Amino acid sequence: MRILGIDPGIAIVGFGFVDKVGSKVTPVQYGCIQTEAHTPDEERLHHVYEGMTQLIDKYEPEAVAFEKLFFNRNVTTAMSVSQARGVLILAAVQRGLPIAEYTPMQVKQAIVGYGKAEKKQVQEMVRMFLKLQSIPKPDDVADALAVAICHAHSYTLNSKLNEVLRK
């Protein structure tokens, strides 16, 4: 199963494609879509949408997992990131892909085993899980890979639970 993990943003969208075969999760491609500061939001959103549709078409994921947004201060940032998240969801839904969402705490729990883990701990565990030479940069990329790994683990658990419940 190929999973696309996304850390949404208006300036930087982190993405990570991983393949899950059995209990093994391997990286396929990861990086970020960046937009220029001081560019009108509508142009930035278009760039994010176009970039994501090209990635989805090229790497053909079977599922997309997003980190749920959490803001406690800056409403302006929350609005623009929410808009970017909307166009990212649209890109996936238009291609018939199932969407999953995980809170930052759920991602940390799945990756580190502790829901209040530090960002550096999550990044190092992503590096170790995927056997990477270094932590992916910028941070948004490591976050996207963490979301993809979280979904890979959660999907397996949810599939087994559904099997048991169907019996």
Side-chain angles (χ1 to χ4, degrees), residues 10-12 33-41 43-44 47:
I10 189 73
I12 300 173
I33 300 168
Q34 294 183 294
T35 64
E36 295 282 332
H38 310 296
T39 302
D41 279 356
E43 289 179 34
R44 294 176 97 176
H47 181 74

Side-chain angles (χ1 to χ4, degrees), residues 20-36:
K20 177 169 176 37
V21 179
S23 62
K24 188 175 182 183
V25 179
T26 56
V28 174
Q29 182 61 275
Y30 52 90
C32 62
I33 300 168
Q34 294 183 294
T35 64
E36 295 282 332

Side-chain angles (χ1 to χ4, degrees), residues 22-132:
S23 62
K24 188 175 182 183
V25 179
T26 56
V28 174
Q29 182 61 275
Y30 52 90
C32 62
I33 300 168
Q34 294 183 294
T35 64
E36 295 282 332
H38 310 296
T39 302
D41 279 356
E42 59 273 15
E43 289 179 34
R44 294 176 97 176
L45 293 169
H46 184 256
H47 181 74
V48 165
Y49 174 81
E50 287 294 319
M52 188 52 62
T53 57
Q54 289 171 12
L55 287 166
I56 290 171
D57 290 346
K58 182 174 182 178
Y59 295 102
E60 300 178 341
E62 296 168 60
V64 181
F66 285 87
E67 185 171 66
K68 284 187 180 179
L69 300 179
F70 174 76
F71 291 98
N72 60 358
R73 291 207 180 107
N74 191 335
V75 174
T76 304
T77 302
M79 293 298 288
S80 60
V81 173
S82 295
Q83 290 174 329
R85 187 173 184 277
V87 300
L88 291 162
I89 290 171
L90 177 64
V93 169
Q94 283 182 328
R95 280 150 178 78
L97 297 171
I99 305 286
E101 298 179 303
Y102 300 95
T103 65
M105 188 175 276
Q106 287 173 309
V107 174
K108 291 174 182 180
Q109 180 71 39
I111 302 299
V112 180
Y114 176 59
K116 294 184 180 180
E118 297 292 321
K119 193 172 199 65
K120 292 287 183 205
Q121 290 174 292
V122 175
Q123 292 170 342
E124 181 59 24
M125 289 303 294
V126 165
R127 186 193 69 74
M128 290 171 58
F129 265 124
L130 299 177
K131 297 175 177 58
L132 303 173

